[in-house]
Amino acid sequence: MKFSTAAAILAASFAASPTTHAFTTLPTQYQRAIDINNISRRRKTNEISQQWMSTVSDPSTTGKSVGSATGFNNDVVSTAAWKDLVNGTAENASKSAARTYMNTFKGDTAAHIIYSKLLEHGTEVVNGYSGGAILPLLDQFHHSHPRHGDSKKIRWITNSNESSAGHVAEGIAKSSTEAKDGMLAAGIVVATSGPGATNLVTPITDAMCDGVPLIVLCGQAATTAPQDAFQSCPAVEIMRPVTKWSYQIKSAAEVPFVMDYAFYIARNGRPGPVFIDLPKDLQIQQLTDDLIGNFLDGLGSFTDDAEYNREHDDEFVRLIPDTTAIHLGQVDQGLSFQVDKAGELAHVQSGHDAYHLDHHNTDTIYMGVDYEKIYEEDEGRKTGKLGAKDGLMKEMVDLIKNAKRPFIIAGQGVNDSPEELMELAETLQIPVATTLHGLGVFDERHPLATNMLGMHGHATPNYLIQDCDLLICIGSRFDDRITGRASDFIPAARQAAQEGRGGVIHVDLRFSENAKQVKPDYFVHTTGKKFLQAVNSAIRADPPKDTARTKEWIERKHSLEAENPIKITEYNPEKFTIEDEDGNTSEVTRTKMCCQGVIHEMDNQLLASGDIDNAIFTTGVGIHQMAAAQLITWTQPRQMLSSGSLGTMGVSLGYCMGAKLANPTKMCISVDGDGSFNMTFTELKTIGEEKIPVKLMILDNESQMMVEYWQRLFHDERYIAVRNKSPKYTTLASAFGIKSVYCESMEELPEKMREFLFDYDDEPVLFHVRTERTPCLPMVAPGQPLDNMILVDEDFEVDKSAAPS
């Protein structure tokens, strides 16, 4: 099964001009059997105007002219279905196509269908934990199940708990892409009902916050079970606020639709998690002709009647009247699909509400408005088409070409476009900063790289962004960690906008991010790759005349870097008398280490060996996380896997396992702190059992140092709940059959680091490093502008009402 964008059904009005109207009219192959004079229809969703429109033509006569003209595939609707449609039997055509699609799985149980769909979507590894309510699905993964024969099998991995299974699946999703479309692959988790599901709330929320495609399949008490049955819980309701879609199946007949929709929703738009609840009795329900017939006969309609739609919002599959399409999902959060000639489910663009706009970029440039007005259909609002030769496109490109102090923020949305980003930066000599999730998309060995910006970012990008005249933010949502105090963010760019020589260009595939945090002067509703390709093409066609306009700006960048390096605490050597096993004493010199110094040594060895490009790093949350972001030389997209928005401690181990499972030829290194590692080290069991050759470095300062530093600044050094008594991690590793290395001084560090990095290629290894308690600096003072940074570890007055979270 392959999804394709089969058609576009949009328009604010037939007469709308793309340069003067908020929304764009596109041609369509989506079929609607209505009078051409009554071709427009409106409905309200969440008080946002939506209009559905199309033209009607026989695909057997129009060929590919409509689809090829706009990049859409118009092979979705068969000629036979079209004839049924124009003869007034659209409902029959839809049901006939749906029956063809469902017949593929006739005779299979729901559990069998789920496994088949996982295979169909390219799933290679599934993580999870057992339980009674999920046994029918779990049985499908057994290597001797009769379904398999000599066919490909999905690797099953039993984790130490469901939460860790979720983090491993996140690691797979964060670090791997599908060859067919270049998009992130979905991580898959299987668990039982009740506590099995609730243990997954944290990884699911983590995936939602950071845009990670995850599909979680959990068992549930049978539909015939009494109320409050053993290990039952309202899992769908619990998961709904933290997923893109949360649903309980009602019949084996809808499972093919559910699985295809789950993969589409998880991977498209901004990726995220999907939760599917599977009552145990329905997992073993067999898909029969009668079940298919009853399911199709019971399909409701997706109508213009808002009250009717709300009353039937629990219906997952609905017919769209007068069309050959079906609507999947909730009324206000659903999309439309058709069955193509091959009997596969294909997506069709079918609306212009908020949900559709977050899943279909329109390649449109919008002049800036306040957030409350972004969905308003204002005839006077100026818009333009990305890639056009004139209008807003030319205006925006001219602004980029003429800016004297331009600056780029590259976020997660640019991870598929490092070459295009490099071309723009080099052509116009623009400094580039990255967000936490964008680290590596711009090679930090390049002289235009300013590295990570924000609360714990480098000083240079924080100073530069505040003084830039044009900010180009691509694929980042202006998180509060990168803006500092919002009212004082980018003052020079705001002034330049008033004077018509600069401002803010924000590029995002989610229309809902337009002006949500920072009001842009131009909002480009597209992907980072499309934006960069279009701008680069325009600049190649008409290069800037003043090639030296950013020379002083780049010189300032270099000066700031020289003045504000990341400082690493150094300690004086100390002499100790030690006694060996035989009672002999000797004097040795030992120098203490800090977290930053250890990470710096690791980075130097990987750079010297040439292995840095082949490494993936994961972190927990805390000082070690920010020190890694600051001091590792990031060279490749998706090289840094970390919990950004939710800030979930304990994820590094699972992320690292997932990264190695998805990238077996990569060197996968977990840079963890003792506080984070202590939360999930039970996964050493899984690593030992499955022999996953990951490298685990624990920077042990027996503290949650980031919080301890805040208590020092804001709570008069009243330290509570921040000190750890760490175990001997080498002994712990040995208990699970894992090799280990221990280091407690700078004198030992180079050789011990070399051993950790290069002596254990085909087996897991744990590196326990004892470090001192040092804060992570620079740090933007809480509640302060981005350029008001704490640069050195010394006492000073702070605004105690603005303590960080």
Side-chain angles (χ1 to χ4, degrees):
M1 198 287 304
K2 294 180 180 178
F3 284 109
S4 60
T5 304
I9 324 165
L10 307 161
S13 120
F14 261 140
S17 166
T19 59
T20 60
H21 201 282
F23 303 133
T24 307
T25 302
L26 297 176
T28 178
Q29 184 60 36
Y30 181 51
Q31 306 301 322
R32 182 179 288 269
I34 53 177
D35 188 304
I36 194 69
N37 294 320
N38 189 32
I39 199 153
S40 63
R41 176 181 295 181
R42 288 187 178 272
R43 73 181 182 90
K44 296 286 283 184
T45 300
N46 286 345
E47 297 183 353
I48 297 168
S49 176
Q50 179 193 34
Q51 190 165 17
W52 302 53
M53 301 181 62
S54 70
T55 57
V56 180
S57 57
D58 185 340
S60 66
T61 60
T62 58
K64 293 188 177 182
S65 59
V66 172
S68 60
T70 56
F72 295 115
N73 172 14
N74 74 326
D75 281 338
V76 171
V77 184
S78 68
T79 301
W82 183 85
K83 289 177 179 176
D84 280 338
L85 178 61
V86 296
N87 288 332
T89 57
E91 182 177 323
N92 290 338
S94 292
K95 288 184 177 180
S96 175
R99 184 182 292 276
T100 300
Y101 167 71
M102 297 164 72
N103 279 342
T104 307
F105 306 97
K106 190 167 66 175
D108 295 340
T109 64
H112 191 286
I113 296 169
I114 291 169
Y115 188 94
S116 297
K117 282 294 181 182
L118 292 175
L119 282 173
E120 186 179 314
H121 285 276
T123 304
E124 296 184 354
V125 180
V126 168
N127 291 270
Y129 204 84
S130 67
I134 199 63
L135 285 181
L137 176 57
L138 199 60
D139 185 49
Q140 300 288 318
F141 291 89
H142 197 280
H143 62 86
S144 65
H145 192 285
R147 69 165 296 144
H148 297 307
D150 296 327
S151 62
K152 179 183 176 182
K153 303 176 185 67
I154 297 172
R155 181 179 179 182
W156 169 268
I157 292 180
T158 302
N159 299 98
S160 60
N161 57 70
E162 295 88 356
S163 184
S164 289
H167 296 317
V168 175
E170 283 188 276
I172 291 173
K174 280 172 171 276
S175 65
S176 58
T177 55
E178 296 277 4
K180 62 184 179 182
D181 55 22
M183 294 161 54
L184 289 177
I188 312 296
V189 186
V190 172
T192 194
S193 60
T198 57
N199 281 347
L200 281 158
V201 170
T202 296
I204 286 174
T205 307
D206 190 57
M208 187 68 172
C209 290
D210 281 351
V212 182
L214 205 64
I215 295 176
V216 179
L217 304 164
C218 282
Q220 181 58 275
T223 59
T224 56
Q227 189 175 3
D228 299 328
F230 177 70
Q231 287 195 338
S232 65
C233 76
V236 170
E237 289 74 19
I238 290 171
M239 302 299 183
R240 187 168 286 134
V242 293
T243 56
K244 291 186 71 176
W245 183 49
S246 180
Y247 184 71
Q248 183 182 94
I249 66 167
K250 299 178 180 64
S251 163
E254 66 180 11
V255 169
F257 296 102
V258 167
M259 290 302 294
D260 284 343
Y261 186 65
F263 271 94
Y264 188 88
I265 288 297
R267 299 184 64 236
N268 284 267
R270 186 177 193 254
V274 167
F275 178 80
I276 306 299
D277 207 32
L278 305 168
K280 187 173 183 179
D281 56 329
L282 297 186
Q283 292 178 52
I284 59 175
Q285 188 180 54
Q286 192 175 38
L287 187 58
T288 63
D289 281 328
D290 286 345
L291 198 64
I292 292 172
N294 291 336
F295 174 76
L296 293 174
D297 290 341
L299 289 180
S301 295
F302 184 71
T303 74
D304 290 337
D305 187 334
E307 183 176 351
Y308 172 88
N309 286 335
R310 281 194 298 270
E311 291 174 355
H312 295 79
D313 200 26
D314 61 337
E315 297 175 4
F316 164 59
V317 183
R318 274 168 287 217
L319 300 172
I320 301 177
D322 304 322
T323 75
T324 57
I326 56 175
H327 182 275
L328 302 183
Q330 295 172 270
V331 170
D332 59 348
Q333 292 189 345
L335 301 171
S336 300
F337 296 82
Q338 288 176 313
V339 178
D340 64 14
K341 291 177 180 178
E344 298 174 343
L345 201 63
H347 175 57
V348 291
Q349 187 171 326
S350 58
H352 217 84
D353 58 31
Y355 195 72
H356 282 82
L357 286 171
D358 277 0
H359 285 84
H360 304 293
N361 53 81
T362 58
D363 299 335
T364 301
I365 306 167
Y366 297 87
M367 287 298 290
V369 295
D370 292 331
Y371 183 67
E372 295 76 15
K373 298 180 179 180
I374 64 172
Y375 295 107
E376 291 183 5
E377 296 184 28
D378 183 356
E379 292 290 343
R381 184 179 177 188
K382 193 176 180 183
T383 68
K385 200 65 181 171
L386 184 69
K389 302 296 184 183
D390 53 11
L392 276 192
M393 178 67 187
K394 184 177 186 306
E395 185 179 305
M396 181 179 70
V397 171
D398 285 345
L399 201 64
I400 296 172
K401 290 194 301 183
N402 294 322
K404 293 183 178 180
R405 300 194 308 276
F407 193 79
I408 293 174
I409 296 177
Q412 184 169 210
V414 198
N415 275 334
D416 62 348
S417 316
E419 295 84 6
E420 292 87 346
L421 177 62
M422 183 67 72
E423 179 181 347
L424 177 61
E426 286 188 333
T427 301
L428 299 183
Q429 288 296 289
I430 304 176
V432 178
T434 48
T435 65
L436 181 70
H437 293 312
L439 286 169
V441 71
F442 194 81
D443 192 331
E444 291 186 353
R445 293 168 293 193
H446 195 282
L448 289 172
T450 68
N451 307 345
M452 189 180 79
L453 83 163
M455 182 176 181
H456 281 288
H458 287 245
T460 296
N462 285 0
Y463 285 132
L464 287 176
I465 195 172
Q466 291 292 79
D467 196 36
C468 72
D469 57 11
L470 178 66
L471 175 60
I472 308 168
C473 180
I474 313 172
S476 173
R477 59 186 179 86
F478 286 117
D479 180 86
D480 63 278
R481 284 300 200 255
I482 68 170
T483 64
R485 188 162 66 202
S487 60
D488 292 313
F489 184 53
I490 52 170
R494 295 182 193 276
Q495 180 64 34
Q498 293 178 6
E499 297 171 4
R501 55 181 178 82
V504 178
I505 297 171
H506 186 194
V507 182
D508 205 291
L509 58 77
R510 286 193 296 175
F511 191 81
S512 60
E513 289 301 319
N514 183 3
K516 190 174 183 179
Q517 307 296 342
V518 173
K519 180 181 176 181
D521 297 282
Y522 301 86
F523 178 78
V524 189
H525 184 217
T526 190
T527 65
K529 181 178 279 290
K530 286 183 182 179
F531 170 80
L532 288 165
Q533 288 173 337
V535 171
N536 286 335
S537 178
I539 292 171
R540 286 194 297 269
D542 184 19
K545 295 179 175 59
D546 182 4
T547 57
R549 76 201 179 291
T550 65
K551 182 181 177 182
E552 292 183 6
W553 183 233
I554 300 302
E555 289 173 352
R556 182 165 181 233
K557 168 195 177 292
H558 296 321
S559 296
L560 286 169
E561 288 171 331
E563 295 166 6
N564 300 283
I566 299 294
K567 294 180 174 63
I568 297 175
T569 302
E570 295 182 355
Y571 298 90
N572 294 322
E574 299 179 45
K575 290 186 177 181
F576 297 90
T577 300
I578 61 172
E579 182 175 327
D580 62 20
E581 294 178 355
D582 298 325
N584 300 315
T585 61
S586 60
E587 192 174 77
V588 297
T589 299
R590 294 284 185 264
T591 306
K592 296 176 182 179
M593 300 177 289
C594 67
C595 165
Q596 290 87 341
V598 176
I599 292 172
H600 185 56
E601 175 65 27
M602 177 185 69
D603 184 61
N604 284 342
Q605 291 201 21
L606 289 170
L607 284 168
S609 68
D611 289 300
I612 192 73
D613 291 345
N614 195 48
I616 295 175
F617 302 88
T618 67
T619 76
V621 172
I623 292 294
H624 70 277
Q625 174 193 30
M626 294 295 99
Q630 291 174 351
L631 290 163
I632 291 173
T633 304
W634 303 100
T635 66
Q636 304 294 315
R638 301 189 179 97
Q639 196 173 28
M640 162 61 134
L641 311 185
S642 192
S643 176
S645 294
L646 194 62
T648 308
M649 293 178 68
V651 297
S652 188
L653 189 54
Y655 283 2
C656 195
M657 293 165 63
K660 189 64 178 180
L661 289 168
N663 304 271
T665 62
K666 295 276 190 180
M667 180 188 292
C668 296
I669 304 170
S670 168
V671 179
D672 216 350
D674 54 301
S676 281
F677 185 74
N678 288 345
M679 291 190 168
T680 51
F681 64 57
T682 52
E683 277 306 285
L684 291 175
K685 174 197 79 71
T686 311
I687 291 171
E689 288 175 354
E690 297 287 337
K691 296 180 170 49
I692 304 172
V694 291
K695 298 182 183 296
L696 314 173
M697 182 167 72
I698 305 163
L699 300 168
D700 176 18
N701 61 9
E702 295 195 330
S703 171
Q704 283 112 59
M705 187 59 209
M706 186 171 283
V707 179
E708 182 172 319
Y709 188 60
W710 293 340
Q711 289 178 340
R712 171 183 156 189
L713 292 180
F714 297 97
H715 299 282
D716 299 324
E717 301 184 43
R718 292 187 294 274
Y719 302 124
I720 184 170
V722 291
R723 293 292 173 90
N724 307 320
K725 187 171 179 57
S726 299
K728 292 182 178 180
Y729 293 115
T730 52
T731 302
L732 189 64
S734 177
F736 292 105
I738 296 171
K739 296 286 180 64
S740 63
V741 182
Y742 179 77
C743 182
E744 61 181 0
S745 72
M746 284 297 296
E747 287 76 13
E748 301 174 305
L749 182 60
E751 175 56 26
K752 293 294 181 72
M753 182 66 75
R754 185 209 61 76
E755 179 185 354
F756 167 67
L757 290 174
F758 305 117
D759 282 2
Y760 305 97
D761 290 340
D762 300 320
E763 60 182 320
V765 57
L766 181 149
F767 189 19
H768 181 185
V769 189
R770 289 301 302 267
T771 64
E772 297 301 302
R773 299 184 182 98
T774 52
C776 185
L777 302 176
M779 183 179 98
V780 176
Q784 297 300 312
L786 196 59
D787 50 358
N788 185 357
M789 288 170 282
I790 302 170
L791 298 174
V792 294
D793 184 14
E794 59 186 21
D795 293 329
F796 54 89
E797 292 294 322
V798 296
D799 178 5
K800 294 189 177 183
S801 67
S805 59

